Amino acid sequence: MKKSIYWNILNILGFKADFNLVIGQRGNGKTFGVLKHFLEVYKKTKKRFCYIRRWDEDIKAFRMEQLFAPFRNIIDELFGEEYSIQYRNHKFYLVNGNGTKVDTIGYVLSLSSSHHTKSISYTNVANILYDEFIRMAGEQELKDELSRFDNTLSTIIRGDNTNVVIWMLANTVSKYSPYFLRFGIDINKVEQGSIVNKEIQLETGDILKVALEYCEFNKDASEKISKYSTNAMIKSGKWEIPETDEIPSVPGSKIKEQLLFSIYSDEVNVTIGCFLRKEKWAEMLPDENTKLLIPHYHSREFLVIRTIDKKSSYFHLSNEKSLKYTEYNDLNTMLSDIKDSTDIDFDDELHRGRVFCDNAFTGDYFINAWSKFGRVAARNLI
């Protein structure tokens, strides 16, 4: 039998986890596979599902009406050719050939409107899908997302909704996600094609089971959609992160670095440090008169960003409420103090292109941490 070119849900289902996180290349069938599983569960048990996205815009009617468009054959096999699935007012219905609604099979809601859904009843739910849980580059951050996510789950998982399974799907657009930290997953150590599973002891004494699958790269699925793309995530399933220029350096030069400031991001448990790098070197050039080679000395300064273990002793940005003298929770104040103390205008250096990252992952972490504290900078500035 020919192997399917699309992702197979059975591998991660075998772990029987409470939370199933699935990440990988676009177009490999993650969403299709999970929704197909939901329909099969409904057919067997009459248990419904909830479909969640981050923004209201993501669940507009014209988008949701197309969600089950590729499922015609599946619907025929499970329910019969006379049936269809239709979307109306944040619900999916199974509809018979006469156009009569047979039953509600799923609910739709967004995290951005979670405060409006607390009083709504979601009954007989067995599965929840949070689709595209990793933010795309340039996508606005939803304030208090983790809290909103928790509140949404608590709205759904109550009453007769017990033993609910949560699915979280995303393309590999960014390693920056607060959900990885929440579940204690070091995404840098998860290899493509593997499944990581863990058990988390809760304060109640219960065990929370979490599984994360980084989908194996599927060449056939990639070729179907990547003909005109050079995007790494589409073509190989690798992380979609911006390229960064190599840190300039002259062979044999003398380099000194001083940690200028650091930023701690609690969402991914990463501290980013910005270093002032001073580089000196000599260039041997012929003298105009004697033609003898004599040294010409050069020097330059620029800023380098990389992840670090220890915070800066002078300027450290954090969301901690109890701060020491050298710590800040306001980015503007910290940058102003840096400029007054060192005469370095970080904003100006950034826009002049004199800030470099040691690798693209650091750039991704930096931009998200920078944005969180109220200052948005374009990725291509680094």
Side-chain angles (χ1 to χ4, degrees):
M1 180 182 296
K2 184 179 179 182
K3 183 179 178 181
S4 172
I5 68 171
Y6 297 110
W7 171 72
N8 189 339
I9 196 175
L10 294 178
N11 293 326
I12 196 168
L13 266 180
F15 289 90
K16 298 180 179 180
D18 301 298
F19 281 84
N20 295 281
L21 286 71
V22 184
I23 59 175
Q25 69 198 94
R26 179 177 288 120
N28 71 341
K30 298 185 294 296
T31 301
F32 183 93
V34 171
L35 291 177
K36 177 175 179 288
H37 172 66
F38 289 177
L39 294 181
E40 292 169 343
V41 170
Y42 174 80
K43 172 65 176 179
K44 185 177 180 179
T45 68
K46 294 297 183 284
K47 290 286 188 179
R48 298 164 177 158
F49 65 88
C50 284
Y51 180 83
I52 301 173
R53 292 293 296 268
R54 180 171 287 107
W55 301 103
D56 271 347
E57 180 65 28
D58 299 325
I59 60 169
K60 292 289 187 181
F62 72 93
R63 300 183 193 278
M64 293 299 96
E65 288 166 359
Q66 297 300 313
L67 191 64
F68 283 97
F71 287 81
R72 184 64 263 171
N73 292 337
I74 304 298
I75 295 170
D76 291 349
E77 292 175 9
L78 292 176
F79 307 107
E81 295 183 2
E82 70 274 20
Y83 287 90
S84 62
I85 294 176
Q86 295 183 9
Y87 175 78
R88 290 290 184 277
N89 298 323
H90 296 88
K91 293 181 181 180
F92 285 108
Y93 296 96
L94 184 66
V95 179
N96 64 21
N98 297 323
T100 303
K101 297 175 183 176
V102 177
D103 191 15
T104 300
I105 64 171
Y107 304 95
V108 177
L109 58 160
S110 71
L111 294 185
S112 62
S113 294
S114 59
H115 55 288
H116 294 307
T117 60
K118 292 181 179 180
S119 60
I120 298 177
S121 178
Y122 301 94
T123 60
N124 205 28
V125 173
N127 287 283
I128 297 172
L129 168 57
Y130 180 15
D131 208 3
E132 305 291 354
F133 76 91
I134 298 178
R135 281 191 298 126
M136 297 184 64
E139 182 182 351
Q140 182 182 353
E141 181 179 10
L142 178 60
K143 186 178 180 181
D144 301 325
E145 174 162 332
L146 289 178
S147 177
R148 289 173 179 267
F149 183 64
D150 290 342
N151 289 334
T152 300
L153 293 185
S154 65
T155 298
I156 300 169
I157 306 174
R158 61 186 179 185
D160 63 346
N161 296 335
T162 58
N163 299 319
V164 175
V165 178
I166 295 113
W167 295 83
M168 302 174 67
L169 310 181
N171 299 322
T172 44
V173 291
S174 171
K175 287 189 174 184
Y176 186 90
S177 173
Y179 297 98
F180 296 145
L181 179 64
R182 159 164 285 194
F183 296 123
I185 297 172
D186 187 346
I187 198 62
N188 291 301
K189 296 181 179 179
V190 180
E191 297 182 359
Q192 190 173 17
S194 68
I195 298 179
V196 175
N197 70 98
K198 62 189 308 178
E199 296 184 348
I200 301 173
Q201 180 80 46
L202 303 178
E203 293 181 358
T204 59
D206 297 322
I207 299 295
L208 185 71
K209 296 182 179 180
V210 179
L212 180 144
E213 180 174 1
Y214 184 175
C215 299
E216 180 181 1
F217 173 61
N218 193 310
K219 182 180 178 181
D220 292 332
S222 173
E223 289 177 347
K224 284 182 173 294
I225 63 172
S226 65
K227 179 179 179 180
Y228 303 103
S229 175
T230 58
N231 182 286
M233 180 270 294
I234 293 176
K235 297 190 75 68
S236 67
K238 300 294 184 182
W239 293 97
E240 178 189 321
I241 52 178
E243 295 296 327
T244 58
D245 295 330
E246 291 186 4
I247 297 175
S249 180
V250 175
S253 62
K254 294 182 179 180
I255 297 175
K256 289 185 179 181
E257 286 188 344
Q258 178 183 358
L259 182 57
L260 183 62
F261 68 82
S262 55
I263 301 177
Y264 175 69
S265 173
D266 60 339
E267 289 188 334
V268 288
N269 194 27
V270 168
T271 301
I272 303 99
C274 179
F275 295 80
L276 174 62
R277 174 177 287 202
K278 300 179 180 180
E279 185 176 21
K280 295 182 178 180
W281 71 96
E283 183 181 19
M284 303 301 291
L285 297 174
D287 182 84
E288 293 183 0
N289 298 319
T290 65
K291 305 304 180 184
L292 296 176
L293 294 177
I294 58 175
H296 288 253
Y297 295 97
H298 306 274
S299 64
R300 61 181 169 189
E301 295 182 356
F302 53 90
L303 300 173
V304 175
I305 294 173
R306 60 172 178 266
T307 56
I308 56 177
D309 295 324
K310 297 181 179 180
K311 64 185 180 182
S312 167
S313 300
Y314 303 101
F315 305 100
H316 178 69
L317 188 65
S318 168
N319 62 351
E320 292 291 331
K321 294 182 180 179
S322 56
L323 301 176
K324 297 180 181 179
Y325 178 70
T326 56
E327 295 178 342
Y328 301 80
N329 53 25
D330 181 84
L331 182 59
N332 292 338
T333 302
M334 186 182 75
L335 293 181
S336 177
D337 284 359
I338 290 174
K339 186 175 181 179
D340 291 341
S341 302
T342 67
D343 202 32
I344 296 175
D345 186 334
F346 183 82
D347 264 339
D348 185 61
E349 294 296 307
L350 188 64
H351 284 82
R352 286 176 180 270
R354 292 202 291 255
V355 180
F356 298 84
C357 282
D358 61 349
N359 60 63
F361 295 130
T362 300
D364 204 32
Y365 289 139
F366 170 75
I367 289 299
N368 281 279
W370 181 264
S371 302
K372 178 183 177 181
F373 286 99
R375 299 289 292 274
V376 179
R379 287 169 176 242
N380 60 7
L381 292 176
I382 300 178

